[in-house]
Amino acid sequence: MAETPSAFFSAVVVTILAVLGGCSAPSEAARAFFVFGDSLVDNGNNNYLATTARADAPPYGIDSPSHRPSGRFSNGRNIPDIISEQLGAETTLPYLSPELRGEKLLVGANFASAGIGILNDTGIQFRLYELGARRVIVTGTGPLGCVPAELALRSRNGQCDSELQRAAGLFNPQLVQILTALNRKIGSDVFVSANAFGMHMNYVANPQAFGFATSKIACCGQGPYNGIGLCTAASNLCPDRDTYAFWDAFHPTERACRIVVNHMMTGSSEYMNPMNLSTILSMDAAV
């Protein structure tokens, strides 16, 4: 079952919560990476759950190294995979995977699950500091009104839905304020806000500048903008995923995810506040 627009809205409010470091001083040996969120960052947990929100059938994973579906709602890698790649680390395994044992646990784990809502894990996220997390990246909402699913349901001329865009515009600044206040209370820049709206909106508003042919039509799907339902073997499928910003009705392609991670790694304070991931890694390496 595809996520409904309202479920998608609540699910992406905190898309990814990445935790770097442990209870001791951060170091290359001690760093671990934990992921919390929804289908945008799920790397296969729903394969082990009794749910219809699954990405375990072709053509999901068509551009992955194995060219097979893995449970990622993507044509290939997703944002956590690419962050791990940038860290020079192995990709974290789903927490439900039977392979997550022994030394694999030292890399971290992915707790994301497609279809999850923010109310299920609010509070747990901010208690992570007490459990030893020392670097936490929290993303705001992306351009909710611009995904193909919303264009299919709400748009008559291909323009993003203004109501959902306004909702994101109200939420995101308040998230930054909350995280800033938490850092002041702790006395350290533990929580980092990632401006997912700006990161995604760059290529959504000007796809050609990023080498995309379109940011409105999903590569895989059906109906207007290929925005009805999720991707199946019976869906329309574009031949070149690199020219599409969206893979299916809700999720970006691997290439779009790489643009987002580039912002996370080296973006200015407009995108990563108070610092980007490269700065975090340099600071931690100096400790």
Side-chain angles (χ1 to χ4, degrees):
M1 178 183 297
E3 294 176 48
T4 63
S6 58
F8 177 71
F9 176 80
S10 64
V12 299
V13 166
V14 180
T15 296
I16 175 173
L17 195 153
V19 185
L20 303 173
C23 298
S24 58
S27 68
E28 288 297 319
R31 183 179 295 124
F33 178 34
F34 298 90
V35 180
F36 300 81
D38 66 353
S39 60
L40 289 167
V41 291
D42 186 350
N43 69 346
N45 279 306
N46 278 26
N47 289 356
Y48 303 95
L49 299 174
T51 175
T52 56
R54 306 172 76 91
D56 58 350
Y60 285 100
I62 189 172
D63 298 311
S64 66
S66 69
H67 304 291
R68 299 174 62 185
S70 61
R72 292 165 172 82
F73 288 76
S74 172
N75 61 303
R77 295 175 175 87
N78 62 14
I79 288 174
D81 295 328
I82 300 166
I83 290 176
S84 292
E85 184 181 281
Q86 292 291 321
L87 294 175
E90 293 180 51
T91 297
T92 56
L93 290 171
Y95 83 99
L96 292 174
S97 171
E99 297 178 25
L100 187 62
R101 58 183 184 272
E103 291 189 0
K104 296 286 187 183
L105 291 165
L106 301 178
V107 175
N110 187 312
F111 293 87
S113 176
I116 195 171
I118 184 172
L119 296 180
N120 292 334
D121 58 341
T122 299
I124 294 174
Q125 295 159 348
F126 300 112
R127 286 198 298 272
L128 286 169
Y129 177 77
E130 299 173 10
L131 298 175
R134 289 301 175 264
R135 300 293 184 187
V136 181
I137 300 173
V138 184
T139 70
T141 70
L144 302 175
C146 300
V147 298
E150 298 302 344
L151 297 184
L153 292 173
R154 299 169 178 258
S155 179
R156 294 182 179 178
N157 56 7
Q159 298 301 307
C160 301
D161 181 74
S162 59
E163 182 181 357
L164 291 177
Q165 293 292 88
R166 186 164 55 251
L170 290 171
F171 174 83
N172 288 328
Q174 295 182 63
L175 176 64
V176 175
Q177 292 173 10
I178 290 172
L179 298 180
T180 300
L182 280 170
N183 285 337
R184 288 197 188 110
K185 181 177 180 180
I186 294 169
S188 178
D189 289 331
V190 171
F191 293 93
V192 176
S193 61
N195 179 6
F197 188 94
M199 294 175 185
H200 288 284
M201 201 63 202
N202 285 338
Y203 66 76
V204 167
N206 191 3
Q208 286 73 29
F210 293 86
F212 295 120
T214 178
S215 61
K216 299 183 185 300
I217 303 170
C219 169
C220 185
Q222 45 278 318
Y225 306 100
N226 279 342
I228 303 299
L230 292 181
C231 179
T232 71
S235 298
N236 303 315
L237 179 64
C238 69
D240 186 359
R241 272 71 66 184
D242 283 345
T243 62
Y244 282 70
F246 284 95
W247 160 244
D248 63 16
F250 296 111
H251 308 98
T253 57
E254 177 181 324
R255 187 161 175 271
C257 288
R258 289 190 177 278
I259 293 171
V260 171
V261 174
N262 282 340
H263 282 302
M264 289 184 168
M265 292 299 300
T266 62
S268 67
S269 58
E270 175 186 356
Y271 299 104
M272 296 290 286
N273 184 15
M275 69 189 82
N276 60 39
L277 189 48
S278 292
T279 301
I280 290 172
L281 296 175
S282 295
M283 292 174 61
D284 291 350
V287 174

